[in-house]
Amino acid sequence: RGRHRSGGSGLLCADLHVVQAVEMSVQPFQAFKFDGILGLGLSGLALSEEFSFLKWASASGLLGTPRFAFFLAEGEGGEASEIALGGYNAARALEPLTWAHVVRPELGYWQVEVKAVRINGVELDICRAGGCRGVVDTGASHLGVPAPWNEALEKALTVDADAELMDCRLAQAPVLEIEVQGRNLTLRAEDFMRQMPLMSDVQISTPGGIRADGGSFGAAGEVGGGTAREEEQALARSSRQRRCRPKLMPVSLPAPLGPLLFILGEPVLHRYYTVFDWAAEKVGFATAATHRNIARQQQQQQQPP
């Protein structure tokens, strides 16, 4: 059991159940910069309802509304991320929210239906017959794509980098659209590209991706120090043929979660402010008011009609 407090003029206190780790392996935990994990999944992922933060929040009456929200910044220029509990911060969105209902909420994941996937407006076959879903996941650094479709998607989004290009987020690349209920989640190079260009024969991404046997999340080298990052920078300076590659990882999961499961990680969440309503079991999306999105919006407004 633990104590919950919040600042401000009033003091909010309540008892809740927590799980304490008494021993952890060196890898990957030595690289983590946090002291614990606040699970915000639906009740299906909790050890029991007594360990569900959302159930506690509903029963305590301490939060204004049954919602929380994420503003996920990249940390550049001093821009900080934010989580809102008991509602959402409208100032963090550049437009009204659109809502997508959670599918299969009994599984505990914030997953929504993926109606279609398009590259430069051309629909891919992967979701034509239905059955695609996407888990909105703040803990995933990459965009997860059902295997083996990730290979075709990576090939389509990868572009050559000229000798002067040192930041692939500035590359001219196809536009990726992921259609969910109420909107298209539209991602450009600045949203989904790895920052550093890599030589064409270098493989950085984790081959296994997310698997039913507990395979890793994210890209190889992101946990356990800066070695991979240093190697990427060295490769980017090479005179050999370089390419800009998207931050994708394969997802290989059986039913009921898979097989057509996307992981809507940081490439989506840096672009969109997300609001989670656990009473209505729905997820809200709006273009986030990040420095990058504001600059993009201003450039679009300055363009002639």
Side-chain angles (χ1 to χ4, degrees):
R1 299 169 69 86
R3 301 291 290 177
H4 164 82
R5 293 169 178 254
S6 70
S9 58
L11 180 63
L12 303 180
C13 297
D15 291 327
L16 64 144
H17 290 78
V18 298
V19 178
Q20 184 177 8
V22 296
E23 184 177 356
M24 294 184 290
S25 61
V26 174
Q27 295 291 347
F29 295 103
Q30 72 171 359
F32 292 164
K33 298 180 180 180
F34 50 79
D35 299 316
I37 298 174
L38 175 62
L40 294 173
L42 297 169
S43 296
L45 285 179
L47 291 176
S48 67
E49 290 202 350
E50 289 77 12
F51 287 92
S52 169
F53 176 82
L54 302 186
K55 284 290 185 180
W56 164 82
S58 298
S60 69
L62 295 177
L63 300 182
T65 59
R67 291 176 176 175
F68 62 91
F70 275 97
F71 175 81
L72 202 61
E74 294 191 62
E76 296 182 351
E79 189 171 31
S81 299
E82 175 188 277
I83 181 173
L85 298 174
Y88 68 94
N89 185 355
R92 294 298 195 180
L94 293 177
E95 60 183 347
L97 292 165
T98 61
W99 294 94
H101 289 288
V102 173
V103 294
R104 300 295 303 272
E106 70 277 8
L107 297 177
Y109 296 94
W110 291 99
Q111 58 176 327
V112 299
E113 180 186 4
V114 174
K115 296 177 176 291
V117 178
R118 303 180 185 89
I119 295 179
N120 280 346
V122 179
E123 184 176 354
L124 306 182
D125 291 335
I126 180 172
C127 297
R128 286 185 186 273
C132 287
R133 298 188 297 275
V135 171
V136 185
D137 186 2
T138 60
S141 61
H142 287 43
L143 177 67
V145 180
W149 286 94
N150 62 291
E151 297 176 2
L153 202 61
E154 177 161 357
K155 182 178 180 181
L157 297 177
T158 297
V159 297
D160 291 334
D162 59 41
E164 289 76 27
L165 182 65
M166 296 303 296
D167 188 342
C168 284
R169 295 174 298 180
L170 303 177
Q172 295 294 318
V175 175
L176 173 64
E177 292 180 319
I178 303 172
E179 183 182 351
V180 299
Q181 181 182 356
R183 75 160 60 231
N184 286 326
L185 302 175
T186 303
L187 307 178
R188 296 173 173 81
E190 60 194 51
D191 304 308
F192 61 71
M193 280 295 187
R194 300 175 184 275
Q195 184 175 356
M196 295 293 179
L198 302 174
M199 289 185 291
S200 58
D201 57 350
V202 171
Q203 176 60 256
I204 293 293
S205 61
T206 303
I210 299 178
R211 308 183 302 272
D213 60 2
S216 72
F217 285 69
E222 290 190 343
V223 173
T227 302
R229 179 67 169 176
E230 293 168 1
E231 290 177 357
E232 278 194 63
Q233 293 174 342
L235 292 170
R237 294 189 292 267
S238 171
S239 61
R240 293 166 58 187
Q241 176 62 51
R242 302 175 308 142
R243 313 202 79 186
C244 291
R245 296 181 181 176
K247 294 188 288 187
L248 303 183
M249 61 181 176
V251 180
S252 301
L253 292 174
L257 272 178
L260 297 178
L261 184 73
F262 292 81
I263 305 296
L264 307 181
E266 287 184 4
V268 171
L269 299 177
H270 284 155
R271 170 73 173 147
Y272 292 95
Y273 187 57
T274 47
V275 182
F276 302 81
D277 187 319
W278 68 82
E281 296 179 337
K282 59 184 181 180
V283 181
F285 296 92
T287 304
T290 60
H291 296 164
R292 177 183 297 171
N293 286 341
I294 292 172
R296 178 192 290 177
Q297 185 182 72
Q298 292 172 345
Q299 290 175 354
Q300 292 175 342
Q301 292 173 347
Q302 293 171 359
Q303 292 177 353

